[in-house]
Each structure stands twice: as C-alpha cells, then as structure tokens.
C-alpha cells in the first residue's frame, strides 16, 4: 500500500526514496544517524507542509517592503543528535507551569549556506552555535533571536535582503522548534543581559507596544540546546 503522506528523501548521490510505511521511515532515520543529518521533501498533502504554509501566510504582517507570494517547497530536517539534545533540554526546563519546554514554532532568517548540508558550520547538521553570536549592542544581549512573525524573520540577514533589487525572488527560511521555558516578558530594552535570561527564566519575550522601541515582537533564547531546526521552507516573495 502506498502511504498517503508520501514524503521523499534524497541521498547525496541523488537517489530518491519514497516512504511507504514504518520500515521506510526507520531506514531514513538510520541513514540520518549514519550521515549526521538529512532533509526530507514534504508533500503538499502532508500536515507539516500545510502547517508551514499557514504560518508563513498568517504571520506575514509587515508588507511595506516585501510580500509573500506562495510556498514553493518544504523539507523536514532529520538530525537524531539534535533531536536528542533538544528533547533533553526541553524536559529539563519543564515542570509546574511549563509543559513540553513551552515549545513554540518560530521562523529564522539566515543565509542559504547556513541551511545547506555540507556547508561549513551549517545549522542543519550542527544546530545553533553561540560562536556565531554577533558582537556589539543587542536589544536583549547576545542570544538566539526569533520573530513569531514570518515577515520579521524574512528581513534577515539584513545586508543580504537589503541588497536585493525590486521584483520576484525565491528564498529559504528555517522554521524552528524553540523551547522557551519560563519567559521573561518586557517592553523595554535589556542590552545589559550577558548571554542568559534574567534569573529564574529561560528566555526573553520582547513585546512590541505603541511608542515602544520594538515594532514587532521578538523572542530570545540563550542555550544552543533550546532550538531545533524543524523545517526548511522555500517560498516566493515580492520586493517593492
């Protein structure tokens, strides 16, 4: 019987595998364990494709410079090592008011090389690394920054996106699982934070308010284990 989900994974040689049951899925997991990570194409009728499409369109609030046109493709990240690390961290910060690590789904904009398997220090194989934290002033100190709005994350990296000319373009963003744990909510800058949330908290939520310093909400986590790359989302957008 053919699986209704019908995902596909592609080996480095270009050989394509269509999943049709648990044995195929397990084979993909073994392959991922052997090579470190792989990307699996997600079919349009799969719930993960539909989730990515919904989040991309429904959280695209800012439309003055860019507007999303359509979803092109979705790939699922398979990296057993990162999953294990993430699950352990989420469990460690759970309890009381926090369930399942207070997991959220956030987009993350980055250069395409950062989400290309085989590229040096790519996120798919290595996860999010503190060594790439940027020096200088940051609103909530050095950390891993995410926007709940796709349109906010789309603007990054700033220099690369600003350099694009007007017209139709295609790019990829990461959709990540982020274990936020206990969240410190604030509408003010906290640039004096030094690589960790305020005591007793695991993350910072910068809330945009009228007249405030933020135009759009931001979430920041400070542990490498707090972020799991989940889906690579490719889409078309128009730059004005």
């Amino acid at each position: 019987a053919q699986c209704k989900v019908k995902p596909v994974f592609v080996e480095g040689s270009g050989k394509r595998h269509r999943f049709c049951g648990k044995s195929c899925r397990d084979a993909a997991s073994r392959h991922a364990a052997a090579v470190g990570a792989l990307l699996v194409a997600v079919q349009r009728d799969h719930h993960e494709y539909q989730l990515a499409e919904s989040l991309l369109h429904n959280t695209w609030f800012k439309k003055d410079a860019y507007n999303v046109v359509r979803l092109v493709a979705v790939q699922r990240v398979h990296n057993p090592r990162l999953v294990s690390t993430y699950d352990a961290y989420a469990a460690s910060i759970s309890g009381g008011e926090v369930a399942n690590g207070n997991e959220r789904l956030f987009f993350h904009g980055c250069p395409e090389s950062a989400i290309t398997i085989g590229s040096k220090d790519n996120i798919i194989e290595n996860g999010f690394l503190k060594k790439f934290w940027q020096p200088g002033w940051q609103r909530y100190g050095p950390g891993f920054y995410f926007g709940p709005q796709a349109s906010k994350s789309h603007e990054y990296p700033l220099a690369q996106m600003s350099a694009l000319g007007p017209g139709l373009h295609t790019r990829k963003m990461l959709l990540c699982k982020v274990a936020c744990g206990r969240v410190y909510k604030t509408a003010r800058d906290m640039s004096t934070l030094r690589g960790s949330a305020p005591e007793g908290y695991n993350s910072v939520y910068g809330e945009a308010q009228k007249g405030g310093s933020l135009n759009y909400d931001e979430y920041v986590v400070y542990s490498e284990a707090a972020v799991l790359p989940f889906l690579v989302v490719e889409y078309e957008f128009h730059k004005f």
Side-chain angles (χ1 to χ4, degrees):
Q2 189 172 10
C3 175
K4 293 180 180 178
V5 174
K6 299 179 292 184
V8 174
F9 83 86
V10 184
E11 291 185 353
S13 64
K15 184 177 180 181
R16 299 170 67 85
H17 298 260
R18 187 170 295 281
F19 293 4
C20 58
K22 183 177 183 299
S23 61
C24 294
R25 185 195 65 197
D26 291 347
S29 296
R30 290 193 298 272
H31 182 69
V35 301
L38 60 82
L39 294 172
V40 178
V42 179
Q43 300 298 304
R44 291 179 180 273
D45 56 353
H46 192 282
H47 69 90
E48 290 177 353
Y49 189 101
Q50 294 161 6
L51 172 65
E53 188 168 43
S54 175
L55 288 174
L56 182 66
H57 286 280
N58 292 336
T59 67
W60 198 283
F61 298 148
K62 186 179 181 183
K63 301 179 180 180
D64 56 343
Y66 310 92
N67 198 12
V68 64
V69 176
R70 69 182 183 95
L71 183 60
V72 174
V74 177
Q75 293 176 298
R76 176 73 141 84
V77 178
H78 281 264
N79 187 323
R81 179 182 63 83
L82 293 183
V83 169
S84 178
T85 301
Y86 174 81
D87 286 347
Y89 176 80
S92 74
I93 62 173
S94 297
E97 64 191 43
V98 177
N100 192 35
N102 190 14
E103 182 178 279
R104 313 284 180 93
L105 288 175
F106 296 138
F107 284 101
H108 180 77
C110 56
E112 187 162 341
S113 60
I115 49 178
T116 300
I117 291 178
S119 296
K120 180 177 172 57
D121 295 323
N122 71 84
I123 295 171
I124 305 301
E125 294 179 274
N126 301 287
F128 283 73
L129 302 174
K130 291 183 178 181
K131 70 179 184 178
F132 292 111
W133 282 358
Q134 297 299 310
W137 185 91
Q138 293 178 74
R139 195 176 305 278
Y140 303 110
F144 301 112
Y145 283 68
F146 297 88
Q149 301 93 2
S151 52
K152 168 74 172 179
S153 300
H154 168 81
E155 295 182 340
Y156 293 86
L158 288 171
Q160 179 179 313
M161 297 305 294
S162 297
L164 287 177
L168 188 66
H169 302 275
T170 302
R171 73 164 299 187
K172 297 176 182 177
M173 276 201 301
L174 270 177
L175 182 61
C176 300
K177 294 182 178 182
V178 182
C180 295
R182 294 196 68 225
V183 180
Y184 186 92
K185 181 178 177 180
T186 181
R188 62 183 179 86
D189 294 348
M190 300 181 69
S191 59
T192 56
L193 291 175
R194 291 292 177 261
S196 62
E199 186 175 354
Y201 295 88
N202 309 109
S203 62
V204 172
Y205 165 37
E207 184 181 31
Q209 294 184 354
K210 186 175 181 180
S213 60
L214 271 175
N215 294 319
Y216 295 91
D217 296 348
E218 291 184 349
Y219 280 82
V220 190
V221 294
Y222 300 90
S223 170
E224 294 177 343
V227 189
L228 179 67
F230 173 41
L231 300 175
V232 176
V233 179
E234 183 177 2
Y235 59 98
E236 286 183 350
F237 66 95
H238 192 273
K239 184 174 183 181
F240 303 113

